[in-house]
């Protein structure tokens, strides 16, 4: 489960192993304008900083992964490509550039963060992938031009059922295209012998929603279509962990950094909120982990907690208006539970979780610092609907 329904706070959690209210990245002072967007808490170390014996490469395609936000901390080489509605570096070029960087890594330890932007508005998969997934009626969507996107994003136009299916098809085409490019890159790595000692981890910072709960894109809600993300762990060839195992217990963005440290026999200089998933894979741990989520965009601030069965969503300013779902009986989150006693219990667990992470990190709990963006950087975020 993601730590947040959008990029910046989720990546902060992936890279540090802490929830957004501890790592601070992605808090906004002014919700509508996006003014005062905050950077990573510099008292925390990122994955590359905790792996000093590894050469670290970063290749990213998102304005939110700007070095100004602390996302480049610890990398020997960090290539940041800004993405906006008018253009971005596609998956093929990204994978090719990644191979250029890795092919020079003949021996020695390395860590690479590789980020693909394609499954994000504007959904523009290559024609072959569009034909396969989005062959339906476009209606008035007009291939998701900026005008179409702006109307959808501001809810000035609600698409019809066929138009929603077309949008979803474009998105599916982008996901499939990225999957194809990752496959080609892994095949190259495998042939070069690098894969013999290399772990590959695939995840996403968030999902995407297509009006399942009345919203479009991401950032607004904590429903599963936005917060449940893949976590694929591929061991080196011949590793005793093996392949083909599916773990049904919940894991979290904050578990990724401690998992990497565990796999590489490295340690952090302080306790981390997240935990390695090795015990989940081995079966030593069988209980679902509590998934805490926060820092949503645009709409009023809420926090959420999912325990593997029930999910509670609590507005920060009006916690009395919290609501809850049982995902075992209602996986599409359509029916809010009315059991007041259970709701009170879940709200208390969320409050206790939030208090516990603050108690374990007093030395790291600093005031969030705002980042001043250039007009070009702000315009890239504005074009994607992150700020107004």
């Amino acid at each position: 489960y993601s730590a947040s329904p959008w990029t910046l706070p989720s990546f902060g959690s992936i890279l540090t192993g802490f929830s957004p209210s501890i790592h601070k990245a992605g808090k906004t002072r002014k919700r509508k304008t996006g003014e005062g967007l905050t950077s990573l808490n510099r008292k925390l170390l990122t994955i590359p900083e905790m792996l000093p014996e590894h050469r670290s490469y970063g290749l990213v395609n998102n304005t939110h992964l700007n070095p100004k936000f602390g996302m480049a901390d610890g990398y020997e080489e960090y290539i940041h490509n800004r993405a906006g509605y008018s253009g971005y570096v596609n998956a093929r070029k990204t994978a090719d550039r990644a191979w250029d960087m890795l092919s020079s890594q003949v021996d020695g330890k390395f860590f690479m963060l590789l980020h693909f932007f394609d499954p994000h508005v504007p959904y523009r998969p290559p024609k072959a992938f569009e034909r396969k997934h989005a062959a339906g009626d476009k209606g008035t969507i007009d291939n998701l031009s900026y005008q179409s996107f702006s109307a959808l994003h501001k809810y000035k136009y609600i698409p019809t059922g066929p138009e929603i299916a077309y949008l979803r098809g474009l998105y599916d085409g982008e996901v499939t295209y990225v999957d194809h490019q990752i496959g080609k890159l892994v095949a190259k790595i495998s042939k070069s012998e690098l894969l013999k000692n290399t772990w590959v981890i695939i995840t996403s910072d968030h999902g995407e929603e297509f009006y399942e709960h009345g919203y479009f894109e991401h950032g607004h809600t904590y429903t599963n279509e936005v917060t449940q993300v893949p976590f694929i762990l591929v061991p080196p060839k011949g590793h005793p962990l093996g392949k083909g195992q599916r773990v049904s217990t919940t894991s979290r963005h904050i578990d990724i950094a401690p998992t990497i440290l565990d796999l590489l026999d490295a340690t952090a200089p302080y306790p981390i909120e997240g935990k390695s998933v090795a015990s989940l894979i081995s079966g030593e741990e069988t209980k679902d982990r509590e998934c805490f989520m926060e820092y949503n965009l645009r709409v009023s601030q809420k926090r959420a907690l999912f325990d593997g069965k029930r999910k509670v969503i609590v507005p920060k300013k009006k916690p009395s208006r919290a609501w809850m779902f049982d995902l075992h009986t209602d996986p599409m989150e359509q029916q809010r539970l009315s059991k007041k006693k259970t709701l009170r219990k879940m709200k208390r667990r969320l409050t206790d979780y939030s208090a516990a992470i603050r108690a374990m990190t007093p030395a790291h709990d600093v005031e969030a610092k705002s980042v001043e963006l250039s007009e070009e950087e702000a315009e890239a975020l504005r074009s994607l609907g992150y700020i107004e």
Side-chain angles (χ1 to χ4, degrees), residues 320-333:
S320 61
R321 297 187 179 181
W323 66 94
M324 180 175 61
F325 298 101
D326 185 330
L327 276 79
H328 281 197
T329 60
D330 178 28
M332 300 306 292
E333 299 169 278

Side-chain angles (χ1 to χ4, degrees), residues 39 42 60 63-73 78 80:
S39 67
R42 291 316 215 280
V60 301
T63 301
H64 288 128
L65 302 181
N66 192 317
K68 288 183 179 180
F69 291 115
M71 296 295 145
D73 291 1
Y78 190 85
H80 170 242

